[in-house]
Amino acid sequence: MIQSALDLRDRRAGFAALEAETFDLLVIGGGITGTGVARDAALRGLRVALVEANDLGSGTSSRSSKLIHGGIRYLAQGDLGVVRQAANERRILRRIAPHLALTNPMVVLAKSKVGLKGFQAAIWSYEKLGHVDKHERHENWDLDHLKEEEPAVRAEDFAGAVVYPEYLTEDGRLVVANARSAAAAGAVVMSYAAARRLIFEGERVSGAEVEGTLPGETQGSRVRAKVTVNAAGPWVDAVRLLEDPGADRRLQLTKGIHLVFHRERLPVSRTIIMNAVDKRGIFAVPRGRFVYLGTTDTFYPEPSYWPEITPDDVRYLLDSAEPYFRLGRLKETDIISAWAGLRPLIGEEGKKPSEISRKDEIMEGPAGLLSIAGGKLTSFRSMAEQVVDRYEKMVGHKSEPSPTDEQPLPGGDFDLSMEALRSRLGSLGFSPDDAWRAAQLYGREALDIFVEDRGPAAEARHAVLSEGALTLEDYWVRRSARARFDDNGGVGALEEAAASMGVLLSWSEAERRRQIEGCLSRRGRELQALGLAEGL
């Protein structure tokens, strides 16, 4: 039986609930930070409303590198606080959502013995600083071991490798899990509900006017709250301007792209860390039947749900990866999908994109708007806890300590290992690859979702009834990850998923076709951006 279901189909009831009371907290932004804040506050017993202009996680939070990592590279920048925080938070996520924190060994290649010794010293410092468990500490590989374990790598060009474990997640599903947990604790959650204007009482922000953004929608609400939290990611500055039209710009947006290949084309068993042509770190990450290559780090001028992927971005990754593998050059025609996302970082004058700190910052505006920006996916729970602590200081309220480090997220209430879960799914008729995918995406809930049926129809049904999906894109991109990690970008799942969703969302035949065509058009634009003019 599915618990903590998030069903957002009744829009009239949702907008009415937003207007029915004065909340303790109104959270603007349904990404990982916003849903984390809503979950933390609701689990402390506060009355919470969360509004998101698009789908949950549709901005930065479904477009990350999908890695929960301890931040070892921030040692070199001197961000010891970021390293400590990230190392602790990755342990917590492994505890509350083991399916969304899968062990992902990282192989760091060294060109020389000196380089190898240097990284060994760095990883040793990181393990001490982050209190890394003994069973998760690094290994040292000599050249023969590297050749044996990762035969696709040009091992002869290196002196050896250091291997240490980090975690792999599905970021879009992590957002939805937090939103579901918040709603189960009493939060009112509404997607496709944009905060257009802030409400003021005297000189203090007291909420926001919210408008529905689904096609043809005219509904809206005036949402009142003691404190309003701006967790809008790349749009944080835009919301700050609603409070203070003269507010200075605090964010510096940088763009990262990722390219997806079949694993047969890039056959690595672990994440391979490489140096790009400009000496930045990049990586190739195995995920089921696929491998993705990332990431770029370039300045981007304005917020966007679909940042542009340029030929230069693609060439940068392909050129950088070529010297590391004995596979022949990866080509644009090898790419099966791609994504781009924006990092909403706190700006630092004169620094290159990759040099800007990933520290988070809470900003209190002149009228009491609390804005949270910066930070890393790994540290979302800690950032949320800090925001709610700040709220309690502002209003003079003290609750019990936040329980978010102990209470499992949906699907994370494991009474068996991931291996046992995959075996159980195998008994339901899943292939090994599909069992791996279902276990990672749904955790323990997979055994309930796929009892009678499996495949896109069952996934789409669950997306609507329990995960707040309202469009086919919501399912295709952010609930099922098929747009990124499926043959032909998951296009083959669209008809079946649309048929299932259409019944639940009362779509006409014309609307069902419009939903499918919208996804196909998005796929076509993506392929054209990769230089694949044939499109679909």
Side-chain angles (χ1 to χ4, degrees):
M1 178 180 178
I2 301 298
Q3 299 177 344
S4 63
L6 181 64
D7 185 345
L8 300 181
R9 289 178 294 171
D10 192 338
R11 304 287 286 171
R12 186 180 300 276
F15 283 114
L18 287 175
E19 199 153 354
E21 61 181 296
T22 297
F23 294 92
D24 294 311
L25 276 165
L26 166 62
V27 181
I28 298 173
I32 191 60
T33 305
T35 57
V37 170
R39 176 178 186 249
D40 186 293
L43 286 173
R44 296 196 206 191
L46 301 175
R47 291 295 298 149
V48 183
L50 180 144
V51 295
E52 160 57 44
N54 205 287
D55 182 31
L56 297 168
S58 54
T60 293
S61 296
S62 61
R63 299 168 180 276
S64 75
S65 294
K66 307 184 188 300
L67 298 173
I68 301 296
H69 59 91
I72 187 171
R73 78 182 184 92
Y74 305 118
L75 274 177
Q77 299 176 355
D79 283 343
L80 302 187
V82 172
V83 175
R84 288 193 192 95
Q85 181 189 57
N88 183 59
E89 289 302 314
R90 64 195 284 277
R91 285 195 300 270
I92 291 173
L93 185 59
R94 184 60 174 265
R95 181 165 64 243
I96 65 176
H99 61 304
L100 294 174
L102 299 180
T103 299
N104 173 48
M106 316 279 268
V107 180
V108 181
L109 303 168
K111 287 278 189 180
S112 66
K113 293 291 185 182
V114 172
L116 189 62
K117 291 293 185 184
F119 192 80
Q120 287 168 349
I123 192 71
W124 182 86
S125 299
Y126 160 73
E127 289 169 347
K128 292 295 184 184
L129 189 65
H131 303 289
V132 174
D133 293 337
K134 287 184 178 181
H135 71 279
E136 290 202 331
R137 292 184 183 170
H138 73 279
E139 300 177 10
N140 298 315
W141 285 3
D142 61 20
L143 197 57
D144 289 339
H145 199 168
L146 177 58
K147 290 178 179 178
E148 180 181 353
E149 295 291 341
E150 295 292 345
V153 171
R154 292 183 186 272
E156 64 274 13
D157 293 341
F158 302 97
V162 176
V163 184
Y164 68 100
E166 295 286 20
Y167 299 146
L168 180 67
T169 194
E170 176 46 50
D171 47 9
R173 296 200 57 78
L174 185 59
V175 173
V176 172
N178 275 272
R180 290 176 59 191
S181 180
V188 177
V189 175
M190 280 289 285
S191 62
Y192 294 97
R196 300 297 190 196
R197 289 164 290 278
L198 297 180
I199 300 171
F200 293 82
E201 286 187 4
E203 297 182 350
R204 303 294 289 178
V205 173
S206 61
E209 295 181 11
V210 174
E211 297 177 0
T213 61
L214 288 175
E217 196 162 54
T218 59
Q219 300 179 81
S221 300
R222 288 175 61 85
V223 189
R224 295 194 173 273
K226 295 176 184 176
V227 172
T228 298
V229 174
N230 169 17
W235 292 268
V236 158
D237 279 342
V239 176
R240 290 177 61 240
L241 289 173
L242 298 179
E243 176 196 33
D244 176 12
D248 60 334
R249 180 169 177 166
R250 294 299 311 280
L251 296 191
Q252 179 64 70
L253 305 179
T254 71
K255 181 185 71 173
I257 80 153
H258 301 78
L259 309 175
V260 183
F261 305 84
H262 281 291
R263 198 161 172 179
E264 290 85 352
R265 183 65 183 88
L266 186 52
V268 295
S269 300
R270 301 161 187 81
T271 293
I272 308 299
I273 306 297
M274 302 165 281
N275 285 327
V277 290
D278 58 359
K279 307 306 180 185
R280 283 184 57 255
I282 63 169
F283 45 76
V285 184
R287 174 177 160 148
R289 296 189 295 116
F290 305 93
V291 174
Y292 60 94
L293 182 65
T295 177
T296 58
D297 201 350
T298 54
F299 289 124
Y300 204 76
E302 297 294 336
S304 173
Y305 285 104
W306 298 95
E308 180 186 13
I309 298 175
T310 69
D312 285 345
D313 294 328
V314 176
R315 279 195 299 272
Y316 171 85
L317 291 178
L318 298 183
D319 289 347
S320 296
E322 183 177 9
Y324 284 83
F325 300 104
R326 55 176 81 258
L327 306 167
R329 179 180 171 82
L330 294 168
K331 300 176 182 178
E332 285 83 354
T333 51
D334 295 320
I335 302 168
I336 62 168
S337 67
W339 74 90
L342 300 180
R343 308 173 185 90
L345 306 178
I346 303 297
E348 295 183 72
E349 191 69 30
K351 288 197 173 184
K352 297 178 182 178
S354 59
E355 294 173 344
I356 298 176
S357 172
R358 269 50 175 175
K359 288 180 180 177
D360 56 272
E361 183 177 337
I362 300 172
M363 299 165 274
E364 185 172 346
L369 178 71
L370 276 188
S371 298
I372 175 75
K376 300 163 66 275
L377 175 67
T378 303
S379 303
F380 80 89
R381 193 206 62 86
S382 176
M383 292 165 58
E385 188 174 349
Q386 294 171 43
V387 171
V388 182
D389 287 346
R390 180 73 166 265
Y391 158 83
E392 293 192 337
K393 288 181 180 179
M394 290 174 67
V395 302
H397 171 82
K398 182 63 178 175
S399 66
E400 293 296 316
S402 171
T404 57
D405 61 341
E406 294 291 343
Q407 182 159 324
L409 287 168
D413 51 340
F414 271 57
D415 55 0
L416 69 172
S417 67
M418 285 292 287
E419 291 73 20
L421 175 57
R422 292 169 192 156
S423 178
R424 292 270 295 275
L425 290 168
S427 70
L428 295 178
F430 282 84
S431 70
D433 285 336
D434 288 343
W436 185 96
R437 176 181 174 276
Q440 185 207 14
L441 294 183
Y442 301 101
R444 178 63 177 77
E445 289 186 330
L447 296 176
D448 299 310
I449 297 167
F450 302 111
V451 169
E452 297 181 359
D453 192 13
R454 61 184 185 274
E459 293 172 355
R461 185 181 311 114
H462 178 69
V464 172
L465 297 179
S466 297
E467 297 179 339
L470 295 174
T471 74
L472 185 59
E473 181 195 295
D474 297 348
Y475 159 76
W476 177 57
V477 177
R478 290 171 291 277
R479 302 306 187 280
S480 70
R482 287 187 181 274
R484 306 290 175 240
F485 302 104
D486 198 0
D487 296 324
N488 194 28
V491 166
L494 293 177
E495 289 281 356
E496 187 177 339
S500 179
M501 295 182 76
V503 172
L504 297 171
L505 292 162
S506 301
W507 289 343
S508 65
E509 175 60 19
E511 176 62 17
R512 189 182 70 81
R513 291 309 315 170
R514 189 186 74 81
Q515 293 279 339
I516 293 172
E517 290 301 324
C519 293
L520 293 176
S521 176
R522 170 57 57 192
R523 170 75 172 161
R525 290 194 294 274
E526 175 184 277
L527 292 177
Q528 288 177 359
L530 297 174
L532 305 179
E534 294 299 319
L536 291 170

